[in-house]
Amino acid sequence: MSTTKVLGSPQAQSKAGAPPADQLLVLAWAGYVAAVAEMGQATHPDKDGESQRRVTACAEVLESHPAHTPVGIAAKLRYLVSGIHDSPAAWKALVEGGSLQDAIVDDSRAKALWDVISEVEALVMAPVVEPDAFADTVAAFENAAPEPLCMPQSPTDAMVQAGAAAAGITLKRFANAYAAAVEAFKGERAA
């Protein structure tokens, strides 16, 4: 699915899965799109009036509720662009996806706004790294690392002092014992 289709159609919206914080905005955009489509197909004045009331109600939601996620921001931006450029080409791009560039050839600010919509929707499509997935990746790396990396090749001064004090030996003797232990450890892992 292209990034321009994240919020375009009601089907795309259900696939995108609106975060709970912005579900009302996404539903309002879907309702707005459906009501505008019904207005264009209305054969009875009462049906057209009902569709207009739905358009107005959805517009009020889109104008009054704050967006909390890129999905909500994109819904509000699409609504705003639909009010600025109401040509059939612009509407088709906003609802079905595709390029709005052809519909707004003469308006550089509208082109910039369309670029922002595409960038915001790209955020929606960007992979999210969950904290557990990150921890799992770190654990996998640590498990795959060569074992000698788990033990310093030579002890730090603090290690030498603590080890010598604990064993009751000189610093030099502890350093020599540590070096021998590292070599033995390497030999065990190589075998």
Side-chain angles (χ1 to χ4, degrees), residues 102-175:
D102 297 336
I104 55 174
V105 201
D106 59 340
D107 190 342
S108 62
R109 289 180 293 175
K111 284 183 181 182
L113 185 55
W114 183 249
D115 288 344
V116 170
I117 292 171
S118 298
E119 291 164 9
V120 167
E121 290 180 341
L123 293 173
V124 174
M125 303 291 286
V128 176
V129 178
E130 298 293 330
D132 292 340
F134 179 74
D136 292 344
T137 302
V138 170
F141 174 78
E142 289 176 347
N143 290 338
E147 288 299 324
L149 292 178
C150 298
M151 185 174 181
Q153 294 291 319
S154 54
T156 65
D157 290 341
M159 290 172 67
V160 172
Q161 290 173 359
I169 56 176
T170 67
L171 299 176
K172 178 82 170 151
R173 281 192 171 174
F174 178 80

Side-chain angles (χ1 to χ4, degrees), residues 1-9 13 16 29 70-78 93-94 97-98 114-126:
M1 174 182 352
S2 75
T3 57
T4 57
K5 290 187 178 182
V6 170
L7 291 177
S9 69
Q13 292 161 23
W29 171 248
V71 172
I73 293 167
K76 290 183 79 134
L77 288 171
R78 282 183 177 273
L94 287 167
W114 183 249
D115 288 344
V116 170
I117 292 171
S118 298
E119 291 164 9
V120 167
E121 290 180 341
L123 293 173
V124 174
M125 303 291 286

Side-chain angles (χ1 to χ4, degrees), residues 8-74:
S9 69
Q11 296 82 10
Q13 292 161 23
S14 65
K15 288 179 188 173
D22 283 334
Q23 191 168 21
L24 184 60
L25 291 172
V26 171
L27 292 173
W29 171 248
Y32 182 83
V33 168
V36 168
E38 287 173 8
M39 285 175 59
Q41 299 170 358
T43 57
H44 190 276
D46 290 342
K47 183 165 175 95
D48 194 38
E50 176 59 32
S51 298
Q52 182 57 52
R53 283 189 287 282
R54 286 183 44 222
V55 165
T56 302
C58 292
E60 287 175 359
V61 169
L62 288 160
E63 292 170 6
S64 64
H65 283 74
H68 300 283
T69 67
V71 172
I73 293 167

